[in-house]
Amino acid sequence: MNIDKTVKYLKEKMTNRPKIAIILGSGLGGLVDKIKERIEIPYREIPDFIVSTVKGHKGTWIFGKLNNVDVIVLNGRFHYYEGYSMKEVTLPIQILKELGIEKIILSNAAGGMNPTFKIGDIMIINDHINFFGNNPLLGPNEDNEGPRFPDMSEAYSKKLIKIALETGKKINIHLQQGVYMGVTGPCFETPAEYRMFHYMGADAVGMSTVPETIAAKHRGMEVFALSVITDLGIIGKVEKASHEEVLKEAAAAGPKMVQLVYEMMPQL
Ligand code: HPA
């Protein structure tokens, strides 16, 4: 996608040189309040950016400082289930790379399938399974952006995971670790699907993150990702899931996630 106008516009608004960007998932917008020297731009004002067709969809592009570190925060993401193409879903990653971003932090709400998980837990994503049946890199490869066949042996940076684990210990935030299964949604899973995904090796399931991680790795960026466990799909104990519940639990666990990311910033 042509991003020349978008990048030019955003560069003109940029007052600093961020190397880190954070994409916030559902219910995790609380981080925004912690950003200092904040410049907030509604997505609809950004030229050639995605115009949301979804009712009530809000989104802002934010420049600022988090714990004294220059940062870009995207409050609101585009999901595949909304009808966007994989290229549209990963457009923010393409733009962030052009703006000089080297590290991406992704957050999401996810259903927990690992029997040791509880609602409100935070899981560091240490690997993923792409179950979208699609891939943002399908089609002609832009060789100047990245390789035709990108390596995915370390999709989630071990170095950043280590920093997160050490930080969690220091500030007394318990962290789970596991594999994230990325699915299209928008249905939550049937008990049989949760069971299958767990047998396939996943600890949590959600409807985002995987396309962005693939696009970021393709462009040589480091990725760190966190899931807030908002509902459980544990074998024999599948509970009813709803969007309201997901938003409520994400908001409840949000401050823990925000504190972790805040404390990690100067170490990244
Ligand atoms: N399944 C898929 N996506 C989700 C879930 C879930 O249980 N919870 C939050 N996002």
Side-chain angles (χ1 to χ4, degrees), residues 22 31 66 105 226 257-265:
I22 305 173
L31 184 106
L66 185 61
I105 300 178
L226 292 168
M257 193 209 77
V258 169
Q259 200 197 346
L260 178 71
V261 173
Y262 185 88
E263 296 294 337
M264 283 174 70
M265 286 301 292

Side-chain angles (χ1 to χ4, degrees), residues 11-251:
K11 273 189 178 159
E12 280 164 9
K13 298 265 176 186
M14 243 159 111
T15 52
N16 51 22
R17 293 261 144 249
K19 297 281 174 223
I20 304 169
I22 305 173
I23 298 183
L24 297 175
S26 356
L28 301 170
L31 184 106
V32 174
D33 298 335
K34 294 255 189 272
I35 304 168
K36 299 268 161 62
E37 299 171 34
R38 195 158 79 209
I39 300 170
E40 261 190 270
I41 309 158
Y43 288 165
R44 72 183 126 73
E45 288 180 14
I46 303 174
D48 291 346
F49 204 53
I50 296 171
V51 179
S52 174
T53 52
V54 181
K55 205 173 141 213
H57 184 106
K58 276 191 295 220
T60 50
W61 187 291
I62 302 163
F63 295 111
K65 276 186 194 296
L66 185 61
N67 204 355
N68 289 314
V69 181
D70 291 348
V71 72
I72 295 175
V73 176
L74 272 69
N75 189 16
R77 63 145 61 84
F78 308 104
H79 298 90
Y80 190 54
Y81 63 74
E82 293 177 69
Y84 299 115
S85 69
M86 277 281 163
K87 297 280 182 216
E88 286 170 326
V89 167
T90 55
L91 180 70
I93 303 291
Q94 196 188 343
I95 296 165
L96 289 169
K97 176 71 188 188
E98 287 304 306
L99 295 179
I101 293 297
E102 294 168 0
K103 296 184 174 81
I104 303 261
I105 300 178
L106 302 165
S107 64
N108 61 56
M113 300 177 296
N114 182 317
T116 69
F117 287 6
K118 290 182 199 61
I119 287 177
D121 276 354
I122 295 180
M123 182 186 93
I124 295 175
I125 301 181
N126 57 22
D127 207 349
H128 76 218
I129 299 173
N130 177 11
F131 212 70
F132 277 85
N134 202 342
N135 189 306
L137 307 183
L138 288 179
N141 187 56
E142 301 292 340
D143 291 334
N144 57 328
E145 287 178 353
R148 171 75 288 191
F149 303 107
D151 169 61
M152 288 295 274
S153 62
E154 192 183 322
Y156 300 89
S157 160
K158 288 199 173 97
K159 197 177 93 209
L160 301 184
I161 291 174
K162 186 163 173 270
I163 293 170
L165 290 170
E166 286 166 3
T167 306
K169 207 171 268 174
K170 217 179 319 167
I171 60 176
N172 214 12
I173 290 180
H174 176 65
L175 295 167
Q176 304 280 15
Q177 271 194 77
V179 174
Y180 177 91
M181 173 76 83
V183 297
T184 65
C187 301
F188 291 109
E189 286 65 35
T190 64
E193 287 166 343
Y194 282 123
R195 185 166 64 232
M196 173 180 76
F197 292 158
H198 188 52
Y199 285 154
M200 287 170 101
D203 299 285
V205 54
M207 307 174 197
S208 66
T209 302
V210 166
E212 290 120 308
T213 297
I214 291 172
K217 287 303 291 180
H218 180 236
R219 289 171 174 79
M221 294 186 255
E222 270 186 279
V223 178
F224 175 73
L226 292 168
S227 290
V228 175
I229 304 300
T230 54
D231 54 282
L232 296 173
I234 293 170
I235 296 173
K237 293 193 270 191
V238 175
E239 294 165 1
K240 210 177 167 90
S242 71
H243 187 54
E244 290 66 38
E245 200 62 19
V246 165
L247 290 181
K248 190 182 119 209
E249 295 299 343

